[in-house]
Structure formats: C-alpha cells, structure tokens
Amino acid sequence: MRKMTIILLLALPLGVTIWAARFETRGLSVGSKKFTESVILSELLAQLVQNTGQPCTHRAELGGTQILWRALRLGEIDIYPEYTGTLREEVLRESDVESIDDIRAKLSEFGLRMSEPLGFENNYAFGMNKKRAAELGIRKISDLRRYPELIFRFNNEFMERGDGWPAVRKHYQLPQRNVRGIDHDVAYRLLAAGEIDLMELYTTDAEIAYYDLAVLEDDLGHFPRYAAAILYRAALERTHPGVVRAIRQLERRIDATSMIALNGRAKLERVPEPQVAADYLSENFDIHVTIDIETKTEKLVRFTREHLRLVVKSLIAAVLVAVPLGVLAAKTRTLGQTILSAVGIVQTIPSLALLVLLVQPLSWSAEQFSALRAIGVSGLGEWPAMIALFLYSLLPIVRNTASGLQNIPPQLRESARALGLPRFARWRLIELPLASPTILAGIKTATVINIGFATLGALIGAGGYGEPILTGIRLDDYGLILLGAIPAAALALIAQVYFEIAERVVVPRGLCIRS
Amino acid sequence: MFRLHDVSKFYDGKVALRPTSLDIAAAQTTVLIGPSGCGKSTLLRLMVGLLTPSGGEIVFEGQQLNATNILQLRHRMGYVIQDGGLFPHLTARANATLMARHLRWPKKKIGDRLAELTNLTHFPADGLDRYPGQLSGGQRQRVSLMRALFLDPDVLLLDEPLGALDPLIRAELQTELREIFRNVQKTVVMVTHDLAEAVYFADTIVLLRDGVIVQVGTFRELAESPADPFVTQFIQAQRGPQQNAMGPT
C-alpha cells in the first residue's frame, strides 16, 4: 500500500513532465514586441510566410527592443517588425547612423536586412487629456515648462531610451519631477481617470481617438521619425527567397489610418490579433489563410502545459542540486555558511532583474557552444525563466535540508555510531529519515513560490499563466487576467495537497507521534 | 577485557580526563562514579570509541581501538544511554533489530533472538510494533537494552541507563537489570552518579574526581580504607537520607 502510493507520487511529476513536453517542428519564427501593433504586424508576417507553405511560428510578446534585436542577431527569431527611429536612436545609437542607407549598411554587418518602409510612421508624441490641456493652455511641448508640478508617466523603455525622456527633457528644458515608469496600457487608463497629466503616445495608437486626447506639437522638432519596416536575417534571401518575397508584399501597403484601424480592432473591439491580421490579408491582398483562433479551453491547456513545464523542470533540477548541497552545508560550519550565503544572495536579486540578467549570458552561451543550442538553450523564453526559477528554489531546500540534518539530537547520532553502523548506513537509515519532514517542507515551500514566480516568466516570452495576465493588462481584459491568475492559484493549492499526501507517506509514522 | 593505558582527553585545552590507566575485568560489573564533570562519561565514551583519546591507548580484547577497527569492535559492545537513544522513526522491533538487519542476519535468526531478548527484558510482545513515542520510559530502556544485547556483545556499556526514570520504575528496573546482568554473564561497565545504585550493581567501583581516578575497589574497600579524604566525603554526602535505599552491601 505504502509502496503503491510512493510509486503514484513519483509518477505524477513524471507524467506531468511528459504531458507538458514540447514536441515542436522548428520552422521559421517571427518575433514581436510586447505591444499590440507589433503583435499584429508579426501576425501578418507569420501568416504571409505560412501562406507560402513554409512552417512558421509567431513568438508573440517576447519583450522589448533589446530582447528582439538580440534574438534576431542570434537567429533565435528570423523576422520581426522594427521602426527606423528605433534603429537609429536606440539599437545602432553607438554607430552614429543618419540615412536609411547608413542603417542598411550597418545592418548588413550583422547579417541582417531591412525591407522598404511599410507605409506608416508610428512616432512618439506627448498626449494629455483634451480638457486638461485646454484649461492650462498647453498646445505644444514647450508649453509644459510653465507647469513643473504636472505628473508624467512613461513606459519603462521610454524612460531609458536614447531618444526617450532624458533626451526630451534636455531638449525642451522640462522641469517636471514627478516622472516615473509605468505600463503603457495602464497609463491610458490613469490618464483617462485624471490620475496623471501626461504620457507618451504612439501616433498609431487607437486610444488617442478613443480617449479623445490632445497630441502636443513637437515644436522644437525632437522626436525622430519612426517608419515601420521589416527586419530579417540576410540568410533568408538564400535559403527562403519565396518567404522574403512574401513578406515584402507588405512594403508601402499599410498607411497610418489602416494601422490605427487595425490597432483599434484588436485593442478596443478585442478581436484576436490573428483574426485582425487574417481579415486584413483577405481584404487587401486577396490572401485567404485559415487561422486557428484558440478557444479558451485550448488556451488554458497551453498555458497550463507551459507553466507546468517551467515549474516541474526547474524544481526537479533544484531538488537534485539543493538536497546534496544541504547535506554538504550541514557537514561543516564554514562550508555551510558559504553555501547558505551563496544561495541566499540569489534570493536578494529582484526577480525581474534576474530574468533579464540571465537573457544575455544565455544567449551568449548558446551562440558560443553548439552543444547548448542542440539541447535547445536560448536566451529567449523558457531557459532564462527556468534557470531563474531553479535558482530561487535552491534556498528553501538547501536551508531546510541543512537544518533538518543539524537538528537531529546528538544522542541519536551517537546511538547510531555506537551501534557500529557505517557512515552511509547511518545517513540512509537514520539521518535522512529523521530530517525528511524538514526537507519535504523545504521542497513544498520552493514549489509554491515557484508556481507563483513562474508567472513572471511571461515577461521574457516563457509563456505560462503569466501570459494571459500580461496580455490581459495590455488589452485591459479582466477575463484574460483571471484566466491566468485563477489557475495559477489553483495549481499552488494542488501542489499543497500533493505535498500533504507525500508527507503522510514519506515521513516515517513514528515522527508524527509526540510522546 | 578493556585495558586503558595513560588515556587522556582534552577539549579545547580543557581537561576532561587526565592520563588514566585502568583494567576492566571480564564478566564483572564495573561502575564508574563521581560528581558531575568528573570524567566518568568521558571514560565510557572513550571505550566505545565515540571519543578519540588525546593521548594514550585503549585496548579491547587485545586489539587497540582505532578508526579502522572501531566499527567492527562496536558490534562486540552494547551501548545504552540515558533515555534510550531510540530512533523515533523506527518501531521498537525495528530499533532492536536494526544492526542485525543491516548485517543481513537470516529472518529466522533475528526472530529467535528477539523472542529471547523480550523474555529476558520482560518487554511485552505487543509493544514491539509501537514507536518510541508510544512507549513509557521504562519500556524504552528495555528496548534500548535489547538493541544493545542483540548481537550478543562481549561487553555492555551503560551511561546513566536509569537516570531519566521516575523513582518507582527506577527501583523496579534496577532489580531486573541486575537480574539480567547475572543471567547474561557479561562484562558490564556502567556510569552513574548515584552511590546507592553503584553499590547495588558493582563488583568494582571506580570513583573519579576532576578527570582523575581517586580510588578503585569494592564499596567495602572504599568505605574502610579510603585513598583520599574525598572518598569518605563522597560516601558521607550520599549516605544520610538514602541509607535505606542502598540495599545489600
């Protein structure tokens, strides 16, 4: 009976791993940034590629410019939509490129190509509530100098970018102090509610019309032009010439009005981006693709699989590493303190920072060592998330293993020695069973933390329950947020129950008796 | 049985036992006694190899104790501590048979030995499947004794075996324990701080103070020809109110 239960308990994580494992045929992949326009454009590109018969996945919402740029250079994605202004001011800032020809020359050094412009510009602008702007008499950006108390909120990328807030402030000599980073979509809601005074806009945002915002005139001509274009790997021209022809059909075919309308359909009418893209292709290019819009259930299954994959893999690895580390840490004082502070330091790194910090070294390692690439290591998505989860899971398990072993009463250790049991037998028959409740509690803590923390993986494109939460925030869709939040909480509860059953089976019965 | 030659033990520069020589006679009960901190437990723990001497040598049945032979030699020593030192995650049966199972004794042999020992120690058969947490203090000591005797060792080393028991059970177990020692005909070395208990069990009493053996002998020898005023003092201090409990001397 007990043996059966142990087998079942072990079979569960194994079964979950197999169920959640990804069997994917690797075709081309199109990446998109974490905002609606980028998702729609990439969906258009992906559908055009699929229409040539070439398998292609759209890796949606991978992150910000730096992540996409690096992924393209390393070949983790093959195509993504970018803006000339971003290339000039941000990506290639250090190489001082001016004209489009400069940009192309620089890109080809990286083995990349840029298409002709798609036909619309998506420029930065400053936006305010029309009424508030009229009250204060603000029409252009230089008018802002008179109101140092205004509250500004910008998206985090804009706060840092070479052409973002620091440059605008310098250019216009703006005095405002209450300036902080915030999610772009949340900023719209705060602006509409009058909580903030000003945010940065993208001129193709459908919300400008929807919230009836005033766009301030860039009277000192600071903001560069951001013409949309397609970036792709130069190698595609050789390996997939048909694909290159297909995606370049979009050149000069999308004007600003169309783009605003596309954004509006996705964001305001909540039509799924693949549907928006497919409708556009069928109306304007007479290309009819059948798209699979995921049902809610299909989505839930996918998120669950992705989430479980992150959690189970990172946790199994953490247990395999942390338990031996804990045993070592319990052995000697100095070694123990070293190990505990090492795994403790990892906990002090803010989770978001750790995720982003892992992207670069992983990309680099994958680039340098083909063996790592072969097992699927990449700086995108799953790997950085899994490694971060692994690192975070170490401390509770190491600490509990060590303290579980250290807290064994000395007279019990001595009794085992005095019996003449050899070292390994003492460890296996006495010390490990005595420490097992504490070790198990550590693994349980790690699991529950891990399940919650894995939602952050979506920030770097790892998927899981975090993805609907992020998309829900982007689209202001509470249903979608709950689609991630509720199962994540449920999963944590299931894990709790699992460990409670495991405790009953694994922890020796005699330890549950208090005399 | 045991021969200690100039054995000493220091902890962090503090003396627990000064260079000490002592012979433990076979098939006799030797009791180590003295005030707390006198080194009596240290001496016992040195014999079972839980401590390594800072100097000198310990010879057990002609073999000098060292790191390589200690595991083997311990199979020939039974060791019992205060409150038993039973493993809480194992039943009474599993505690008692642990070492025999580890040495892969045949099932039958283990069963027979266990039956023999439950008889000897008067341990109730239905208690065998209980965990230490479910047993009384006296029963726990019986299990501990069974565990110590299981491999039929040459010597039994006991460190305050009755120290944690309440007086009634203690008196009962004292009687039984002496019975058991007589039956098994083993060399017994026992540590206690209680003179009455020492007198009750001992063929030879070893009185220690501050890490030094003050006198070795029978109780009569200690009482009648003390080697040091401390011996008389120690006997006097313990006598008074407990005189009646001292039993036959």
Side-chain angles (χ1 to χ4, degrees), chain A residues 15-23 304-306 308-310 382:
Chain A
V16 164
T17 319
I18 293 167
W19 177 67
R22 186 166 46 178
F23 303 100
T304 307
R305 286 180 57 176
E306 289 166 350
L308 284 173
R309 198 155 60 218
L310 291 176
E382 227 175 38

Side-chain angles (χ1 to χ4, degrees), chain A residues 411-423 425-426 428-430 433-434 508-511 513-515, chain B residues 45 48-51 71 74-75 77 79 81 84-90 98-99 102 131 133-134 140 147:
Chain A
Q411 65 267 30
L412 292 186
R413 282 175 191 283
E414 288 207 334
S415 290
R417 283 174 62 202
L419 275 176
L421 279 175
R423 176 175 278 284
R426 287 203 300 268
R428 185 173 65 88
L429 297 171
I430 311 296
L434 286 176
R509 211 156 61 82
L511 293 184
I513 298 159
R514 295 274 162 267
S515 53
Chain B
R45 285 147 58 83
V48 72
L50 288 174
L51 298 175
L71 282 183
R74 276 180 190 147
H75 297 171
M77 308 176 191
Y79 182 66
I81 59 173
L86 295 181
F87 304 119
H89 63 294
L90 300 177
L98 180 64
M99 203 55 218
H102 178 74
Y131 289 95
Q134 299 165 312
R140 279 205 289 273
R147 188 173 71 180

Side-chain angles (χ1 to χ4, degrees), chain A residues 426-499:
Chain A
R426 287 203 300 268
W427 190 74
R428 185 173 65 88
L429 297 171
I430 311 296
E431 298 183 16
L432 209 57
L434 286 176
S436 62
T438 330
I439 297 176
L440 206 62
I443 298 176
K444 177 164 133 183
T445 311
T447 310
V448 174
I449 294 175
N450 199 320
I451 288 171
F453 177 65
T455 53
L456 285 180
L459 285 169
I460 50 166
Y465 293 135
E467 192 182 315
I469 296 178
L470 285 187
T471 314
I473 294 171
R474 174 165 67 79
L475 298 176
D476 192 16
D477 183 338
Y478 277 96
L480 214 48
I481 295 176
L482 292 180
L483 192 66
I486 293 175
L491 193 60
L493 273 177
I494 292 171
Q496 287 264 18
V497 173
Y498 171 82
F499 278 100

